[in-house]
Amino acid sequence: MAEEDSMALRQISIASTISADDYDFSDQEDFSQPEEVVATEDDEARCLTLEELAQDQLEAIDDVNSIFEISPGAARALLAHCNWDKEKLLEKYYNGDSEDMLFNEAHVVNPRKIARTEQEGPVTCGICTCDYDAAETMSLECGHRFCTMCWENHISTQVTAGNPFVECPEGGCKVQVDELTVTRMLKDPELLTRFKHAICRAYIANNPLLSGCPQPDCPNAIKVRRAEARTVRCTCGFRFCFACRRRDHDPLPCALLQVWNQKTTDEGETARYLAVNTKDCPKCNVVIEKNGGCNHMTCRVAACKYEFCWICLGPWSAHSGSYYQCNRYTEHAEADKKRNESRAALDRYLFYFQRYQNHENSIKLEDQLRRAVARRQDELQRQDRTWIEVQYLQDALDALSVCRTALKTSYCFAYFTIRNAHLDLFEIHQSSLEAATEDLSHMLENKGGEEATAKAAILDKTAYCRQLRTVLVKFVKEGLEMGAWNLTDRARALCMPH
């Protein structure tokens, strides 16, 4: 396997009082390195193609074979059974589990217990029930023998169904056909390709250190040293969370992202709006929405025309032309208290949702900015600029997208918090990132001024935005680890360490 050049990721830590004027990054070559773990050949993560995934599997199999001295097929089955964890496999092999039990759980026959016997005379295939010479049949280590044609049909059917683990066709037998045998017996090149892809997908699914890129039509996978929630970036450009495989959502934890997504799509919010902003006519029970400031309400249903007070729902005739008579506390006022609490909860949700949605819309609208920047890069290259000299514009666009994503999800996280000093500091970091992000967006939209001066300013602002994002994400994660956040009960149960 050809190894890619290693790329070192630098992590930048800055104080909460950082100012863009204090830094000049225009002369630094690697200012644009993203803060998330970039899935390239480095100490943290690698992006593997299908060919590299296959090679990665072979290397793991060779390591096991060098210890156990068994067939590659048996080694693959044992590793898959232990989620491709070599240390776990060695522990199970040498500490406690018997060899036979381990091989049985992995659906392979212990190669040290196989009795080699030569088949003599005609053999009756267990599928088509025809008699064949022994040379025209085949069996696995389990000893169940079938004709070659039935084997080929069985394997082709299983691979067509997308099954990477083909088992012996004998009823009740779970012994798996090794990859080499499957490859040899598949005559259709398309099926062979499908089988190799299925093997790679199974390898990704069973290995906790691997995560397939969720971008449609991208076959790559990310391999990390430690399985944990973090943002990684595939070489196709897609950023996603390694743990939940959703689009990058730092600094929002995976569990809260799921709750937020459920909340934003839940029709219960519509019901809450109706509960706060509408009331039923006390006479005919038709839903009425208040459309003016006066509390003297008249039902619009022709057969009703009931006049009542919006505040207490009592008949308007009892108010002597004034609604101030219903200011005394009664048992009905308790319902008004609950309604006010519901209104406050809704207002709080809408505050954070609108800001979340604003950045979501900005990300979508910046597709137009991306096209404009691409045209600007082409124009500069026609003016004798090299490709690398205009790449700072693409780096700035990437930084803009990453920062808007962080801002978007930071409002989701703030929704699950209760006001304390840590939230006050968080909002300072959030405000700084928001201001810097808007400045960068304005710089990219502005085509005026000297190109060299604009380039230096964009370089500085890009680096500054990336640093502020790093600070915001780190602040949230460290606060969760230290228990500094005052979270809602549900968020605390999901996020705080036990």
Side-chain angles (χ1 to χ4, degrees):
M1 178 180 66
E3 295 187 358
E4 300 175 357
D5 294 335
S6 298
M7 295 180 62
L9 294 176
R10 63 190 180 99
Q11 295 183 346
I12 306 171
S13 59
I14 58 177
S16 59
T17 56
I18 186 171
S19 169
D21 298 332
D22 298 333
Y23 293 86
D24 181 6
F25 296 94
S26 57
D27 296 330
Q28 297 188 19
E29 296 181 357
D30 63 346
F31 75 94
S32 62
Q33 289 288 353
E35 313 78 357
E36 71 272 10
V37 179
V38 181
T40 52
E41 193 87 25
D42 59 25
D43 290 338
E44 289 294 332
R46 289 186 299 157
C47 183
L48 303 179
T49 63
L50 286 175
E51 293 75 14
E52 291 168 333
L53 281 168
Q55 183 62 34
D56 197 61
Q57 293 180 75
L58 291 177
E59 291 175 0
I61 291 170
D62 289 342
D63 288 345
V64 171
N65 280 342
S66 65
I67 300 173
F68 292 167
E69 297 181 350
I70 56 179
S71 68
R76 176 189 295 277
L78 291 176
L79 281 167
H81 173 62
C82 295
N83 294 327
W84 294 89
D85 187 335
K86 288 180 287 188
E87 287 72 20
K88 180 181 178 181
L89 173 57
L90 291 173
E91 182 180 351
K92 288 174 72 70
Y93 188 81
Y94 290 113
N95 299 328
D97 290 356
S98 68
E99 279 190 27
D100 290 340
M101 181 182 297
L102 180 59
F103 280 96
N104 185 55
E105 290 175 350
H107 295 169
V108 290
V109 178
N110 188 340
R112 299 181 180 84
K113 302 293 181 66
I114 297 176
R116 302 293 180 182
T117 59
E118 293 294 333
Q119 183 71 36
E120 297 180 357
V123 177
T124 301
C125 174
I127 296 178
C128 66
T129 68
C130 295
D131 293 336
Y132 296 90
D133 293 336
E136 297 177 298
T137 63
M138 187 195 78
S139 70
L140 302 178
E141 292 82 356
C142 57
H144 301 127
R145 189 169 291 273
F146 306 93
C147 70
T148 304
M149 183 177 296
C150 286
W151 268 113
E152 291 176 354
N153 291 336
H154 173 68
I155 291 174
S156 297
T157 301
Q158 293 296 309
V159 172
T160 301
N163 185 8
F165 306 113
V166 181
E167 296 179 347
C168 173
E170 180 71 19
C173 182
K174 299 295 184 180
V175 174
Q176 294 178 359
V177 185
D178 63 271
E179 182 183 357
L180 183 61
T181 301
V182 174
T183 303
R184 187 179 70 249
M185 302 196 76
L186 282 175
K187 306 302 182 183
D188 187 344
E190 183 179 345
L191 279 182
L192 182 58
T193 300
R194 182 181 298 185
F195 174 68
K196 291 180 178 179
H197 287 184
I199 284 289
C200 287
R201 287 195 298 269
Y203 178 52
I204 295 171
N206 292 333
N207 193 330
L209 299 180
L210 284 171
S211 181
C213 177
Q215 188 74 344
D217 301 325
C218 180
N220 297 339
I222 311 300
K223 185 173 184 179
V224 297
R225 290 181 177 273
R226 299 180 308 279
E228 59 187 9
R230 67 170 102 175
T231 299
V232 294
R233 187 179 66 179
C234 179
T235 51
C236 72
F238 188 73
R239 296 179 178 87
F240 65 98
C241 173
F242 182 84
C244 68
R245 298 183 69 246
R246 295 188 181 95
R247 188 181 294 272
D248 171 26
H249 55 80
D250 270 338
L252 186 66
C254 301
L256 293 188
L257 174 64
Q258 183 174 351
V259 174
W260 175 264
N261 287 340
Q262 290 174 347
K263 186 173 185 64
T264 55
T265 58
D266 191 355
E267 294 181 356
E269 289 303 324
T270 302
R272 176 178 290 187
Y273 176 85
L274 294 174
V276 171
N277 294 278
T278 66
K279 295 182 180 181
D280 294 342
C281 171
K283 184 176 180 181
C284 68
N285 295 320
V286 169
V287 177
I288 295 176
E289 182 178 11
K290 193 169 186 283
N291 61 1
C294 180
N295 289 304
H296 179 188
M297 309 300 296
T298 301
C299 180
R300 295 296 180 88
V301 177
C304 182
K305 295 294 184 180
Y306 182 68
E307 297 183 38
F308 63 95
C309 172
W310 177 261
I311 297 178
C312 68
L313 299 180
W316 188 253
S317 58
H319 289 68
S320 302
S322 172
Y323 60 86
Y324 293 107
Q325 297 296 324
C326 61
N327 62 343
R328 290 185 178 182
Y329 176 80
T330 63
E331 293 300 322
H332 297 291
E334 185 65 26
D336 291 336
K337 178 182 177 182
K338 292 181 179 178
R339 186 176 294 110
N340 290 335
E341 291 175 351
S342 181
R343 183 190 301 274
L346 179 62
D347 288 345
R348 183 175 183 275
Y349 166 74
L350 290 176
F351 174 87
Y352 290 111
F353 176 77
Q354 288 167 358
R355 283 151 183 79
Y356 160 86
Q357 194 65 46
N358 177 63
H359 285 291
E360 176 73 13
N361 293 336
S362 294
I363 292 173
K364 295 177 181 178
L365 292 173
E366 277 163 4
D367 286 342
Q368 182 178 354
L369 176 61
R370 193 173 294 276
R371 291 191 292 270
V373 167
R375 291 193 296 269
R376 186 174 172 187
Q377 286 180 297
D378 293 339
E379 181 181 342
L380 290 172
Q381 286 181 273
R382 286 195 295 268
Q383 298 174 7
D384 298 329
R385 302 292 197 281
T386 64
W387 179 86
I388 194 66
E389 287 178 322
V390 300
Q391 193 60 23
Y392 73 94
L393 291 170
Q394 185 61 49
D395 294 332
L397 272 175
D398 291 342
L400 185 63
S401 176
V402 169
C403 291
R404 283 213 184 277
T405 299
L407 284 168
K408 177 184 72 172
T409 53
S410 72
Y411 282 109
C412 305
F413 179 78
Y415 172 76
F416 294 102
T417 64
I418 300 173
R419 176 71 58 183
N420 67 355
H422 208 67
L423 179 58
D424 293 338
L425 289 174
F426 166 81
E427 290 175 341
I428 293 174
H429 292 309
Q430 187 185 49
S431 176
S432 298
L433 177 58
E434 195 141 26
T437 300
E438 295 303 330
D439 288 345
L440 180 59
S441 179
H442 178 72
M443 287 179 178
L444 290 173
E445 291 174 355
N446 185 16
K447 300 180 181 179
E450 184 69 25
E451 197 270 330
T453 304
K455 177 179 179 179
I458 290 175
L459 288 171
D460 288 345
K461 189 63 70 173
T462 299
Y464 181 55
C465 287
R466 288 193 183 279
Q467 293 179 47
L468 289 177
R469 176 194 176 277
T470 300
V471 169
L472 182 68
V473 172
K474 187 176 180 181
F475 184 81
V476 172
K477 291 185 176 180
E478 290 183 346
L480 289 172
E481 292 171 357
M482 297 184 300
W485 289 105
N486 187 13
L487 301 175
T488 61
D489 292 341
R490 186 176 185 184
R492 183 179 298 278
L494 291 171
C495 296
M496 297 302 286
H498 299 288

